[in-house]
Amino acid sequence: MYRIQIDRSLCSGFGACADLAPEVIELDASGNATVRVGVTDDPAVLDAAAACPMAAITVIEEEAEAA
Amino acid sequence: MNGRSVLIVGAGLAGARCAETLRAEGFDGDLVLVGEEPVAPYERPALSKEFLAGAKDADDLLLRPGSFWAEQRIELVLGQRVDSVDRTRRTVTTSSGLELGWDTLVLATGARPRQLPFASPAGVHVLRTLADAEALRDELLPGARLAIVGGGFVGAEVASTARSLGVDVTLLEAGSAPFERALGPELGARLARRYRDHGVDIRTETAAAGFRETSAGRVDAVVLTDGTVIESDVVLVAVGVAPAHELGRGTEPPIYTCGDNAGSHGHWTGAAAEAVETARGLLGLDPLPRQPPFFWSDQFGLRLQLVGDTTQADEVEVEGSQDSFVARYRATGGKLVAALASNRPADVGKLRLEVATAA
């Protein structure tokens, strides 16, 4: 599982993250990235974080926890 | 990749992104980030804006929380300038005599501000590091007279911040308008009008020929090439940056280069993207799809966001109002090569796709 954090003070509205991981990240009305789901198993979040020019997205890989 | 340890020289954005990406993509060996500044990787673009204005302090600028680097097993060696690389013994030596070994070396030494070709008395600043920004901030007192040499993005952003602090600002630009080269004459004229409306005295087609100083050795004027004297209490020299590649360049194993020293032109996003690609290359991963260059600037109430490469453009079409507009840059034949959004943040995603699709 991947835990996603977006530092919205760093986000400058490039928007590539939302194209690369649309299930997890969307853009708000002012074009800034916002998290749809904070924890996901979608590896696209790694590409989304890598594509961010501001390094605003942190992805931390976690062991899946029992529900 | 060679061996089990990676040493990255340079703890700016590129070095930090390279280290982070190596870990995120599964590198498990020793990872050391050596930085000349005594601070953990931070957000440099804020130096000319929120930090200079006093709205953010040094802790607010950190790219990652303090605990992040230890959690990621990335060792930060800070306040150490690497002076030499021994390619045979695979070590680097710092200015304080510390010797560090590596199997793979990444040079992410960044860039340094260009200087003017004459001596700078006290009160003449550059702006690249946190220490530079602290020194400048301490002198931007209400009523002070600031002369800025260079009408690029750093100069414009400092002008904007300084005006908000009640500082008198004179901006010296070698071309006929600020940003003429980066954004074209039409947008340059538009921005110049806005700066003047905000009380900035813009002098174009001129350059600094020297500084006049007091008997105590402090700047008190900038002398221009035509002999004009601009009385000044503080001067910022913002005439671009030069790559710091004293340590050489690495393009093949076991030495690599990424960031501004590799030629990403001082643009924040180019350095970040290169650093990610360098890390992925070290791990044998395929490159990610290329994103168009991106740059943004906050100045005089405008958020400017630029996607693409304006240097290929022959014509510009602008739609919208004075403050809130989109400019599309087209090459001969009509191909869209870049787009600038001013106070249109919600349009940037669409413009980025337009530029990427046209490429």
Side-chain angles (χ1 to χ4, degrees), chain B residues 58-269:
Chain B
D59 285 344
D60 296 328
L61 302 189
L62 294 175
L63 271 185
R64 298 290 177 248
S67 58
F68 174 85
W69 305 102
E71 282 164 17
Q72 295 291 307
R73 292 182 298 115
I74 297 169
E75 185 187 346
L76 298 182
V77 178
L78 301 173
Q80 296 278 341
R81 187 182 77 235
V82 170
D83 279 344
S84 63
V85 174
D86 188 326
R87 291 168 190 244
T88 311
R89 294 173 53 233
R90 295 198 176 179
T91 59
V92 299
T93 305
T94 72
S95 47
S96 66
L98 186 67
E99 196 173 49
L100 301 162
W102 44 270
D103 294 316
T104 294
L105 180 67
V106 178
L107 300 173
T109 42
R112 296 206 179 85
R114 288 186 197 279
Q115 304 280 352
L116 296 175
F118 38 83
S120 295
V124 177
H125 297 258
V126 293
L127 179 52
R128 178 74 182 174
T129 66
L130 187 59
D132 293 338
E134 282 169 343
L136 180 61
R137 187 186 59 185
D138 290 347
E139 299 202 331
L140 293 185
L141 305 171
R145 296 166 302 173
L146 169 69
I148 299 173
V149 183
F153 285 98
V154 171
E157 290 183 349
V158 171
S160 173
T161 305
R163 287 301 298 140
S164 75
L165 295 170
V167 172
D168 286 347
V169 178
T170 304
L171 186 69
L172 308 173
E173 162 60 38
S176 63
F179 303 113
E180 191 181 21
R181 258 187 326 176
L183 301 180
E186 189 179 351
L187 271 293
R190 195 181 265 248
L191 291 173
R193 272 198 303 278
R194 189 169 184 91
Y195 300 172
R196 290 198 168 103
D197 289 348
H198 282 77
V200 178
D201 180 0
I202 305 179
R203 310 289 179 98
T204 57
E205 291 174 0
T206 191
F211 298 117
R212 197 180 73 192
E213 58 188 274
T214 64
S215 54
R218 183 168 171 101
V219 71
D220 75 350
V222 182
V223 182
L224 307 186
T225 42
D226 66 358
T228 306
V229 173
I230 308 284
E231 308 249 340
S232 319
D233 307 304
V234 191
V235 175
L236 173 70
V237 175
V239 293
V241 295
H245 39 54
E246 297 86 344
L247 299 177
R249 301 169 205 233
T251 51
E252 56 189 45
I255 305 182
Y256 302 82
T257 308
C258 66
D260 291 342
N261 50 313
S264 38
H265 309 298
H267 278 199
W268 178 256
T269 68

Side-chain angles (χ1 to χ4, degrees), chain A residues 12 14-15 19 30 52 54-55, chain B residues 17 64 268-269 305 345 348 352:
Chain A
S12 59
F14 187 51
D19 291 342
S30 61
C52 176
M54 294 303 300
Chain B
R17 288 289 266 160
R64 298 290 177 248
W268 178 256
T269 68
Q305 293 166 294
V348 172
R352 185 176 46 76

